[in-house]
Amino acid sequence: MITLEELNAKTWLREKFREYYAKEGVEPPPMIWQREFGVGNEKKIDYRHMSFRDDKELLGYLRSTTPLYISYSAGYYKFPSATPMEKKGMLGADLIFDFDLGDISDTCSSGFPTVECLGLVKNEVVKLIEEFLIPDFGFSKDDILVFFSGSKGYHIHIRNDLVFDLDQRARKELVDYVSAAGMNVRFFLRREGKSLHGPLPSSNGWGGRLAKELVKVISEYPPEKARNILGVSKSVFQKISTRRGELVDGMNRGLWDLVPVSMATWEVMLSSLALRLGVKLDRNVTIDMSRLIRLPTSLHGSSGLLVERVKNLDKFNPLEDAIVFGRKYIRLHVKRNLEFYLGGEQKIEAGEVELPEFVAVYIVAKGEGEPIGEL
Amino acid sequence: MDFKNDLDELRFSVKYPFTSVAKGLVRRMNIDLKSNDPEIVEVIDTAKKRIKEDLRGGVILDPRQKLTRALEIQLLSYPVARILVALSRNNFMKKRFAEGESNTMRKFLMGAPDEEVAYLLPELGIKAEGGSIHFKDYIMFMPDDEQYRLFYQSISSGYVSINRDLIVEIMTSAYRRHILDTLSNYPSDFEFLKKELPDIQIKRFERFEYTGKANADAFPPCMKNLLAEAAAGEHLGHSARFAIAAFLVNVGYPIDKIVDVFKNQPNFKEKLTRYHVEYIAGKKDGKKRLPPSCEKMKTYALCVNPDALCSRVKNPLSYYKVKMRNKRGRG
């Protein structure tokens, strides 16, 4: 059951969103008439199978009905509002990568997102772009659109002819590649006669990536850290470490057994490195072509922050840059003592307080307080 | 492609009838399929023979043949066979035809000089650069075996460098796809050829004859889809085969009937299939295997058209059990 206070809070929040959409609007996705939309107030998606003929219709909807959440399909359909799904007639889809705090670290997955935790997610986004999408797949920076999800993560949208008609299996192959999911490192090594051959640190793709990282970890890192990264026992590490010159020498020539290391140990070390180098993201979002994703440039109902296009990822701090509401003071009843970062450190005591609008919206969206009187 | 002479060009076209060179030759021959010319009759007969051979795995062609007329008939049998298969509106036949034709091309490619392969790549719509092909073509057409997964390949700036054998496999599968995509249109100009169809109709294994207690209506969408694909002769990967077999084992299909499900697979081997199905049914070790969880089905890209009930269950099998319970409750 929804309480009267909650209802009040949601109505107030939607009123704030309405004001925002009336002033700023949204940037509609390309080919809007081929996209399915989903909206929600209670849940992120209460209704789906909606469609809009054009930009004006979408904007009109946001200004009149104003849902707290709005999502659209990565897929393009002949009949985006038809049900069931197979009647929509999929034409193709953008390629999406979804990053969320929950996939990165357990300590970050609850409570208000912190700058540090969101920074960890950002590192994964950078990793995907700089280590995989550009060098391996040859995408250009212009192909890769990065959005702050509006709450606890980032989305990457790639919209071009190249990815448009990739099928589900191909998308799975791509996301498995970047995340190293299901990788069996044994395939990188092969026995030829008596010797064990493997990739050179200068090789392309994952083979080279693993070899290069292995060389780096054994030759540059302090022993204890190196051992932890590689996930091997002290005695095994001792053996490798004392003869690392020889080992690296051999690897630079593609010979991986100048120092005797068991196949099982190679597997442990390479798997640990793969886990470390792979991108941490939600694979299902990439694979599921009929998935709905938060509409870029809309507001997120759990934060009141903007689903913003990130142009300079290096400098981007969502807890500063995605704020859209102002500094006008709002009277609020806050349920408990709160400490979080939003446009600066915020320390708020439970009870009746006056807060700048952007902080008030954030607290109400998180369900931690209700506005007083302003309705 | 440079040809020494007309005969050389004609022989190339017999081997690769999908190329622009071959299409140009066919167009210049300007034949009328409606005429009663003995040559036309022979072309149509050869086309029917070609389809039958395709259904058995591949065409027997003789591009080294010296007689121009015999070569021309071989070449012309390809477009005519395509028309007949498209007219049949039989998806199973379309798939087998595509399989057979692409197998035939594979045989020629294996012995072909490098420049011939390089010439054919763009003809099949594959983007290539030196010994490398674009990653998109690679992931769309790579073979199923684990060793071919993208991780293990050398990839840089969008191109995957692979050896000749693998290029041939990719081309074969791209050609198969190309045939299927282009056979989907019904060639209404050629309705007069419909009278030839009875000669090529093939019996296809009936689907789901089993009417025991398992109720196929209550199967989850993912399993219905896999069964439909299997019945249509769509090539299923390892995880798909395991999933459907384990599911059917658990809903009580007899082993014989499960083996039958795979009968339309392009590389069906009864004994091997039976061995696998018996293993899944726990005949060897008494352990009946469960189908993969919904989560796993998603990561295998096998979860399709999930409905409301799907979101409430963790395994395709529970979906079936819930549905059956509801049915019994109502009935």
Side-chain angles (χ1 to χ4, degrees):
Chain A
M1 265 302 280
I2 188 161
T3 64
L4 196 59
E5 285 78 15
E6 276 164 11
L7 190 67
N8 243 356
K10 288 209 163 164
T11 315
W12 179 78
L13 201 56
R14 284 172 71 183
E15 189 49 41
K16 290 287 143 199
F17 280 24
R18 196 190 319 269
E19 285 168 18
Y20 172 81
Y21 287 129
K23 210 163 65 195
E24 305 289 340
V26 284
E27 201 181 294
M31 316 291 275
I32 186 172
W33 59 93
Q34 291 182 344
R35 310 277 192 165
E36 180 198 351
F37 283 78
V39 297
N41 287 314
E42 301 308 318
K43 290 182 287 159
K44 300 218 165 106
I45 295 172
D46 297 327
Y47 304 100
R48 56 184 294 180
H49 310 299
M50 297 169 55
S51 66
F52 297 103
R53 253 173 308 160
D54 52 28
D55 305 357
K56 241 176 88 188
E57 207 178 70
L58 170 67
L59 204 57
Y61 179 84
L62 285 175
R63 285 173 179 166
S64 59
T65 312
T66 323
L68 287 177
Y69 303 93
I70 179 159
S71 303
Y72 83 120
S73 61
Y76 301 79
Y77 302 97
K78 242 191 246 164
F79 311 108
S81 54
T83 58
M85 288 308 288
E86 58 267 29
K87 292 229 171 101
K88 290 191 195 305
M90 183 171 270
L91 302 164
D94 298 331
L95 181 65
I96 308 288
F97 296 99
D98 173 282
F99 301 81
D100 192 271
L101 277 182
D103 299 315
I104 309 281
S105 113
D106 289 339
T107 48
C108 283
S109 56
S110 61
F112 286 33
T114 63
V115 177
E116 294 71 37
C117 283
L118 285 168
L120 292 178
V121 190
K122 192 162 87 174
N123 291 345
E124 296 299 313
V125 178
V126 173
K127 200 201 285 182
L128 175 70
I129 297 174
E130 309 275 334
E131 307 286 327
F132 294 95
L133 295 184
I134 293 176
D136 286 5
F137 295 118
F139 285 110
S140 80
K141 275 220 151 98
D142 298 337
D143 292 328
I144 305 166
L145 307 178
V146 182
F147 295 96
F148 171 54
S149 75
S151 177
K152 297 179 177 177
Y154 289 87
H155 297 152
I156 284 184
H157 297 227
I158 298 179
R159 296 171 181 151
N160 65 23
D161 294 348
L162 194 66
V163 302
F164 182 78
D165 54 359
L166 288 176
D167 58 19
Q168 223 182 24
R169 173 176 172 259
R171 283 165 204 261
K172 174 180 184 300
E173 200 56 32
L174 282 185
V175 76
D176 282 359
Y177 183 91
V178 302
S179 61
M183 182 191 283
N184 180 349
V185 293
R186 221 182 304 177
F187 280 103
F188 292 108
L189 305 172
R190 55 178 205 288
R191 273 205 190 284
E192 270 171 37
K194 275 193 175 161
S195 49
L196 185 70
H197 292 250
L200 303 172
S202 60
S203 299
N204 289 329
W206 265 104
R209 181 174 287 120
L210 290 171
K212 194 158 69 188
E213 185 73 2
L214 187 60
V215 167
K216 186 170 149 195
V217 169
I218 340 186
S219 29
E220 292 173 21
Y221 286 28
E224 201 43 36
K225 188 175 175 197
R227 192 179 76 79
N228 265 328
I229 291 174
L230 297 174
V232 291
S233 69
K234 276 198 175 125
S235 60
V236 168
F237 184 75
Q238 193 61 40
K239 199 170 75 184
I240 293 169
S241 185
T242 47
R243 295 178 67 183
R244 60 174 181 266
E246 255 175 289
L247 188 82
V248 169
D249 229 35
M251 284 177 59
N252 279 324
R253 288 180 287 138
L255 296 170
W256 283 50
D257 55 354
L258 292 196
V259 176
V261 172
S262 73
M263 197 56 167
T265 302
W266 279 127
E267 276 180 47
V268 170
M269 293 197 293
L270 292 179
S271 303
S272 313
L273 290 175
L275 204 63
R276 180 182 157 82
L277 296 173
V279 180
K280 289 170 193 68
L281 40 58
D282 183 346
R283 294 168 57 250
N284 281 335
V285 176
T286 307
I287 297 169
D288 181 359
M289 293 166 73
S290 48
R291 186 76 166 226
L292 301 181
I293 327 116
R294 201 80 43 232
L295 179 68
T297 71
S298 69
L299 297 177
H300 194 294
S302 309
S303 67
L305 296 174
L306 183 67
V307 181
E308 193 180 9
R309 166 91 190 269
V310 181
K311 298 236 171 78
N312 186 343
L313 195 53
D314 256 3
K315 295 207 178 105
F316 186 78
N317 174 2
L319 299 178
E320 300 273 0
D321 301 327
I323 298 172
V324 295
F325 291 100
R327 306 197 156 263
K328 189 178 83 174
Y329 274 82
I330 307 275
R331 261 156 61 81
L332 213 62
H333 178 263
V334 176
K335 291 178 183 166
R336 57 184 178 113
N337 292 345
L338 297 171
E339 243 188 285
F340 58 89
Y341 188 97
L342 185 75
E345 292 296 341
Q346 307 287 346
K347 209 171 162 184
I348 295 150
E349 285 182 11
E352 273 191 44
V353 284
E354 285 208 346
L355 293 168
E357 191 181 40
F358 74 94
V359 181
V361 165
Y362 193 69
I363 290 174
V364 173
K366 296 241 172 264
E368 297 287 359
E370 291 108 27
I372 302 168
E374 218 216 315
L375 290 174
Chain B
M1 193 84 188
D2 289 330
F3 298 106
K4 277 180 275 176
N5 47 40
D6 287 357
L7 187 67
D8 197 28
E9 184 180 4
L10 185 54
R11 285 175 168 166
F12 177 86
S13 301
V14 167
K15 286 193 284 183
Y16 310 115
F18 56 88
T19 54
S20 36
V21 172
K23 284 186 199 155
L25 271 186
V26 169
R27 215 172 300 125
R28 268 177 278 147
M29 284 183 222
N30 197 20
I31 57 156
D32 176 13
L33 288 173
K34 276 186 179 150
S35 83
N36 289 325
D37 195 9
E39 184 160 319
I40 298 299
V41 173
E42 202 180 337
V43 166
I44 293 176
D45 281 346
T46 312
K48 288 193 277 195
K49 216 172 97 216
R50 183 177 190 126
I51 295 168
K52 283 189 185 144
E53 286 169 359
D54 274 324
L55 298 176
R56 266 183 258 120
V59 197
I60 303 150
L61 291 171
D62 180 15
R64 268 173 295 192
Q65 167 69 249
K66 286 194 183 66
L67 284 174
T68 305
R69 183 170 182 275
L71 286 168
E72 282 177 357
I73 287 172
Q74 290 188 63
L75 170 60
L76 288 170
S77 73
Y78 176 74
V80 175
R82 286 180 50 108
I83 295 168
L84 289 175
V85 172
L87 282 173
S88 79
R89 288 190 164 162
N90 178 335
N91 282 331
F92 178 60
M93 177 138 55
K94 287 180 185 172
K95 279 183 185 126
R96 281 301 174 86
F97 176 75
E99 194 82 30
E101 288 294 329
S102 55
N103 282 342
T104 308
M105 180 190 71
R106 180 203 276 125
K107 271 185 227 134
F108 291 127
L109 281 179
M110 286 198 298
D114 285 346
E115 55 275 19
E116 198 164 294
V117 171
Y119 175 83
L120 292 168
L121 280 163
E123 289 272 341
L124 290 166
I126 297 173
K127 240 164 103 180
E129 221 181 67
S132 305
I133 67 163
H134 195 267
F135 81 86
K136 177 179 179 176
D137 297 309
Y138 187 80
I139 56 178
M140 291 291 273
F141 302 120
M142 67 188 202
D144 242 358
D145 291 17
E146 200 187 347
Q147 54 168 316
Y148 297 121
R149 296 205 60 187
L150 194 57
F151 315 121
Y152 313 123
Q153 312 307 321
S154 164
I155 169 170
S156 174
S157 304
Y159 285 83
V160 188
S161 72
I162 52 178
N163 63 28
R164 256 284 297 253
D165 291 350
L166 194 45
I167 289 189
V168 168
E169 285 314 308
I170 303 254
M171 291 170 82
T172 305
S173 140
Y175 184 35
R176 186 170 55 226
R177 180 80 258 156
H178 168 79
I179 295 176
L180 285 174
D181 287 348
T182 50
L183 278 183
S184 54
N185 295 332
Y186 184 78
S188 51
D189 293 355
F190 294 100
E191 290 233 16
F192 66 91
L193 282 175
K194 264 185 147 174
K195 61 178 192 302
E196 311 290 346
L197 290 179
D199 293 345
I200 55 164
Q201 284 307 351
I202 36 145
K203 245 207 275 166
R204 128 184 192 183
F205 303 102
E206 290 306 312
R207 47 174 124 162
F208 333 132
E209 280 168 55
Y210 177 65
T211 49
K213 52 178 183 168
N215 187 337
D217 285 343
F219 287 2
C222 56
M223 294 299 165
K224 279 185 186 160
N225 175 59
L226 283 178
L227 281 171
E229 285 188 351
E234 194 94 52
H235 180 85
L236 299 181
H238 297 300
S239 32
R241 291 183 199 206
F242 175 82
I244 188 65
F247 180 80
L248 294 176
V249 159
N250 281 281
V251 301
Y253 262 48
I255 285 179
D256 284 347
K257 293 294 168 197
I258 302 178
V259 171
D260 282 352
V261 166
F262 299 102
K263 269 205 170 150
N264 291 342
Q265 288 291 294
N267 49 0
F268 177 70
K269 291 189 189 69
E270 167 133 17
K271 258 182 139 171
L272 191 67
T273 306
R274 182 172 301 276
Y275 175 83
H276 285 302
V277 174
E278 284 178 350
Y279 172 80
I280 292 167
K283 279 235 161 168
K284 312 271 181 252
D285 53 6
K287 277 186 243 158
K288 210 193 261 183
R289 267 70 187 173
L290 282 173
S293 64
C294 295
E295 201 54 41
K296 279 230 175 82
M297 292 290 281
K298 276 185 198 154
T299 62
Y300 296 153
L302 295 176
C303 175
V304 292
N305 306 325
D307 59 19
L309 180 53
C310 287
S311 58
R312 291 179 10 230
V313 298
K314 290 216 163 73
N315 191 290
L317 204 55
S318 345
Y319 180 105
Y320 177 73
K321 285 180 183 159
V322 173
K323 267 260 160 109
M324 287 304 275
R325 200 162 49 224
N326 292 347
K327 266 182 203 284
R328 275 196 294 273
R330 272 201 308 271

